[in-house]
Amino acid sequence: MQAAPLVIDVTGINKRFGDKHVVKDLSLQVREGEIFGFLGPNGSGKTTSIRMLCGLLTPDSGRGTCLGLDVLSESAAIKRQVGYMTQKFSLWDDLTIGENLDFVARMFGMQGRREVVDRALEELSLSGRRDQLAGTLSGGWKQRLALASCLLHHPRLLLLDEPTAGVDPKARRDFWEEIHRLSAAGITVLVSTHYMDEAERCHRLAYIAYGSLMASGTAAEVVASQQLHTWEISGDNLQGLGQALGQLPGVDLVASFGATLHVSGRDEAQLKASLETFLQGKKLAMSVVSASLEDAFIYLMQGTRDPLHG
Ligand code: ADP
């Protein structure tokens, strides 16, 4: 199968706000129809990176294209083909559902606004609620309406900034089904998230910490890149063992997973020897498991410290 064309192709992108170097030498490629996830601690530059990739913010330096257009000099033309859903969904609570959609259609200077809005309402199964105030909708419905508004002008690239913060699990699942339908129709999606299950729904991921891209690729590639060996410890009274385990030679990471602990390290032999000694005489079992994406992210997170705040 031939690879889909590159929709984003940037090299060495930088952004500073005052004396803060918020995005450092970012190079990234995203293919058409890909769902590309951005993860990392708060304030790491995810939003700033995404905004630069989509022409919403001009990089200080670097070069590259988005949708075949230059990210430094053609941002206005890029922006017209981008749908942007911010964390707060940017709806007007005191406008009706119909008015919200009409406002967005007007903003994009769309022809035949009435039909455009009618069609969007129909697709959302909200035709009967045209005159209801948007502020009275549940979190999940607000999110659907916000997504529909972002799609009114038929963007080729969709940018979602923590789109499921504050919506219930069922609505989150429906939302991701919709994102996959859009992706199958050729729309490229950039999404920032803190949720592991959402990260796993992305085709590829980037982990960004303090302005630097620390890892990228499919979930499996990101996990493999951290070269972790992981043992699962199970049994009673695991509470309080985490700290002691964390001190053992060969142990780089201890993370709770439900009723078990995941203990990981890069040095396979040392890790195994430490665990076997530690568990002697204890009523605990250890078994090898594959490191999960969450293990990899926790490992990445503890390996990176904010250079400004120690
Ligand atoms: P993230 O999305 O990973 O939480 P952001 O890209 O929003 O991170 O922010 C990265 C850093 O840049 C933060 O320290 C934030 O305060 C700063 N920042 C973001 N936008 C601006 C701006 N317009 N002016 C000044 N500082 C900003």
Side-chain angles (χ1 to χ4, degrees), residues 121-167:
L121 285 169
E122 231 164 79
E123 280 169 11
L124 282 165
S125 313
L126 277 178
S127 297
R129 300 217 241 166
R130 176 190 281 269
D131 299 324
Q132 184 179 329
L133 289 182
T136 63
L137 289 169
S138 69
W141 274 104
K142 273 189 188 166
Q143 184 203 39
R144 292 189 68 180
L145 180 57
L147 181 60
S149 330
C150 298
L151 294 168
L152 274 187
H153 65 297
H154 306 298
R156 291 174 60 200
L157 184 62
L158 191 57
L159 206 162
L160 308 170
D161 194 1
E162 294 184 31
T164 60
V167 302

Side-chain angles (χ1 to χ4, degrees), residues 102-114:
D102 185 66
F103 185 91
V104 176
R106 195 189 295 252
M107 217 163 61
F108 283 103
M110 297 186 72
Q111 305 288 316
R113 286 205 318 273
R114 178 82 198 183

